[in-house]
Amino acid sequence: MPGTISPLPLDLSTLQIPWYFRCPISLELMRDPVTVCTGQTYDRASIESWVATGNTTCPVTRAPLSEFTLIPNHTLRRLIQEWCVANRSFGIERIPTPKQPAEPDHVRILLAQAGSGGGDVASRAAAVRRLRALARESEKNRVVMATRETRLALLDIAFEGSGLDSDLESESMAVLAIVGLGESEAEADLAARPNRLNRLGEILMQSLSLEARINAGAVVEVCASASSTARSALGETDGIIHGLVKLIEEKSNSRAVRIGIRGIFALCLSKENRTRAVGAGAARAVVRKLGEVETERGAAAIELMCRVEGGREALINGAGGGPEAVAALVKAMGVGRAAEHAAGALVAIVSSSDSLQIEAVKAGAMGQLLLMVQGGFSDRAKRKAQVLLKLLRSAWPSHDAVSNSDGFLLQTF
């Protein structure tokens, strides 16, 4: 992988790595030595992997790891770095100083500074921006920040209301979207609070700041993904689905389109929201951006909307109509796992239209479907492809010749 440093061999031709510089687990030179509660030191990646596989004891002492706090061993790391520098003539490179994850106490201090008692709005917003930077910096930081305490504090900051500075509100929502929400926070602390739901709808529909609308849409997506109860409440709230559609229709901001599609897909996981999404114009909006960003989720959302009354009609009516939708979905069949959902949506769209079946064949559907049936797709994806192949067979002028090729289609049909 780019940027990955290969481990040093244990024994070089004329040099040996000191044993106390080696991780007891991997026996390789430690790059980020950390000490566990038993007093033993390991390379961070090795001990994290040890615990992640279900081990609860210290590898050396076999004593229980009563807590899993990793304390950086700065002294040992500096000694290892000095040893590397001293042995450069042997081709040894100095190990870089590792970026340490955020300290929980530091996160709590920033949350206190960002809270309502943290001073003026500018200072509070600066603290939230620092939290956002930490969350973006690394997965380790996000793990440290993904606590109920942090999520509840961010929800309180984001939804204080009473005319607070929109930057503070928007930045807090951005951090929430990165850190995520648990099921309990999504249900009890957002979905069960009408004022908070309404505020999301207001921002999505009325805010003059595209960044604020994007951040609000991201909160909708993480909340809808966390809980089916939250999905229902979000879908029922004025402005939320229409606001996501507005994001999808943004012409010059791919992030807005991505967040809008992700949000619509998450909401459409609940059946009652699919009809609402169709009514808000989501089906047409998503199909027009299909292939630009979030192709898999976009195709999945379209397939879900095609399953409800009016979904198919929403795609084939209006400017461009069915041919535009068919062409976009056929193209999506060439994009990995989006193929299954695009095929499923096409079955619904072309099943009762000879003209759209012809459009699908013209767009190259047959070649994509043959690849799906023959390739490494799931059984469910292959079944959808076979159904669509049967629908399109009559619209394929040269199907007789191809049917006899390797006996493939004869077996399929």
Side-chain angles (χ1 to χ4, degrees), residues 88-321:
R88 280 182 297 183
S89 60
F90 294 95
I92 298 174
E93 296 182 3
R94 180 181 183 275
I95 63 171
T97 300
K99 188 76 173 179
Q100 300 299 326
E103 292 290 337
D105 286 345
H106 181 49
V107 173
R108 282 191 283 270
I109 290 170
L110 288 174
L111 284 171
Q113 294 172 350
S116 56
D120 60 90
V121 170
S123 298
R124 295 176 64 194
V128 176
R129 280 191 287 271
R130 180 58 186 142
L131 286 166
R132 186 179 185 180
L134 284 175
R136 283 176 164 176
E137 193 173 87
S138 70
E139 176 63 27
K140 291 179 180 178
N141 285 356
R142 291 190 286 275
V143 170
V144 170
M145 297 172 70
T147 65
R148 179 164 173 78
E149 174 191 15
T150 300
R151 290 163 171 160
L152 291 180
L154 289 168
L155 281 166
D156 287 342
I157 296 166
F159 293 101
E160 282 180 337
S162 64
L164 282 178
D165 181 83
S166 61
D167 187 46
L168 178 62
E169 178 182 64
S170 178
E171 288 290 330
S172 301
M173 290 190 182
V175 183
L176 267 177
I178 298 171
V179 174
L181 288 171
E183 183 176 2
S184 60
E185 295 95 21
E187 292 180 359
D189 303 294
L190 206 166
R193 306 278 288 273
N195 59 320
R196 293 182 172 183
L197 291 175
N198 291 334
R199 183 58 185 150
L200 283 173
E202 289 172 2
I203 296 171
L204 283 166
M205 289 300 294
Q206 300 174 21
S207 178
L208 298 178
S209 165
L210 178 58
E211 179 69 13
R213 289 167 49 212
I214 291 172
N215 292 337
V219 170
V220 169
E221 192 260 328
V222 297
C223 184
S225 299
S227 159
S228 58
T229 300
R231 282 197 290 274
S232 297
L234 287 161
E236 293 172 351
T237 302
D238 289 345
I240 286 183
I241 291 179
H242 282 86
L244 292 173
V245 172
K246 282 183 64 178
L247 287 177
I248 297 170
E249 292 172 340
E250 284 292 329
K251 291 182 173 58
S252 58
N253 192 304
S254 60
R255 181 167 170 250
V257 177
R258 179 181 296 107
I259 293 299
I261 291 175
R262 291 174 68 99
I264 288 294
F265 167 71
L267 289 176
C268 283
L269 292 174
S270 291
K271 187 175 181 180
E272 65 269 23
N273 286 334
R274 297 170 197 170
T275 301
R276 296 174 182 137
V278 169
R284 292 291 298 157
V286 174
V287 83
R288 284 173 176 150
K289 296 298 176 76
L290 205 59
E292 294 183 16
V293 294
E294 292 292 341
T295 302
E296 182 183 347
R297 281 186 174 87
I302 292 168
E303 182 182 17
L304 290 172
M305 286 185 277
C306 281
R307 294 177 182 174
V308 298
E309 185 177 354
R312 175 184 180 277
E313 290 71 22
L315 285 169
I316 64 176
N317 295 332

Side-chain angles (χ1 to χ4, degrees), residues 392-409:
L392 298 183
R393 190 182 185 191
S394 62
W396 193 1
S398 58
H399 73 273
D400 290 332
V402 182
S403 293
N404 292 319
S405 175
D406 298 328
F408 172 70
L409 283 182

Side-chain angles (χ1 to χ4, degrees), residues 48 281 375:
E48 286 181 341

Side-chain angles (χ1 to χ4, degrees), residues 11-24:
D11 298 297
L12 307 175
S13 56
T14 56
L15 179 70
Q16 281 200 348
I17 300 173
W19 64 267
Y20 50 90
F21 287 174
R22 302 175 182 178
C23 174

